[in-house]
Amino acid sequence: MSLDSTSESSTVNTYGIRGFPANCVCGTKRTIYTSETNKNPGRTFVRCLTRRKNHLFKWVEDAVYEEVQDALPKIVLLEAELNKEKSDIADLKGVVAELMEEVVRTKTEVKRCKVMVKILLVIMCLISIVLVVSLM
């Protein structure tokens, strides 16, 4: 849909709405139009469907610019959070490596204990045999 926007080029009214507004301040839906003026041919803008003077009017490129401006601080925060998570992951990898070393040490110790128990059983059996033979 196209609209002649000569008057809007000098009277831009956004009511402090940043980015792409869903509705006008009057509650009416907004839509995107294309300028057919000599000054702004083919330039797209957002406007209230009622087309009343002094209602919402915003150039699309201004809305996009505001959306990007508003997103940049959020991106910086997300980047900082991501870096913290990466650091936490690196720390956890270190903990996992330590635990794996402890598992290897514990398995070795368990094997030693099993061997010791077998040796003790053999010794106890030999002592029992010697006692039984000597008592007879």
Side-chain angles (χ1 to χ4, degrees):
M1 179 180 262
S2 61
L3 184 72
D4 185 25
S5 61
T6 308
S7 62
E8 287 84 342
S9 64
S10 61
T11 313
V12 176
N13 195 351
T14 62
Y15 292 96
I17 299 170
R18 292 191 53 80
F20 281 101
N23 296 314
C24 179
V25 292
C26 70
T28 305
K29 292 272 186 201
R30 58 89 179 142
T31 192
I32 297 176
Y33 297 96
T34 302
S35 172
E36 293 180 352
T37 65
N38 288 335
K39 187 175 181 182
N40 296 299
R43 192 173 178 195
T44 53
F45 59 95
V46 177
R47 184 165 186 189
C48 175
L49 283 174
T50 63
R51 298 186 191 174
R52 293 185 193 146
K53 190 166 175 86
N54 294 327
H55 271 230
L56 176 69
F57 175 89
K58 184 180 278 193
W59 294 113
V60 168
E61 68 264 21
D62 293 341
V64 169
Y65 180 74
E66 290 172 355
E67 293 278 344
V68 171
Q69 274 185 320
D70 293 347
L72 288 176
K74 295 173 188 173
I75 291 170
V76 169
L77 289 175
L78 288 172
E79 183 180 23
E81 187 176 322
L82 178 63
N83 288 335
K84 182 188 178 306
E85 297 300 327
K86 284 180 179 178
S87 173
D88 290 348
I89 288 171
D91 292 345
L92 289 173
K93 283 182 179 179
V95 170
V96 167
E98 290 174 13
L99 290 173
M100 293 301 286
E101 290 172 7
E102 183 65 28
V103 165
V104 169
R105 283 193 298 270
T106 303
K107 282 183 177 181
T108 303
E109 187 67 29
V110 166
K111 286 179 184 176
R112 282 188 192 139
C113 288
K114 284 181 179 180
V115 169
M116 293 297 287
V117 165
K118 288 177 184 176
I119 291 172
L120 286 173
L121 281 173
V122 168
I123 291 172
M124 287 176 65
C125 287
L126 289 173
I127 290 173
S128 296
I129 293 172
V130 168
L131 283 175
V132 168
V133 170
S134 67
L135 288 176
M136 293 188 153

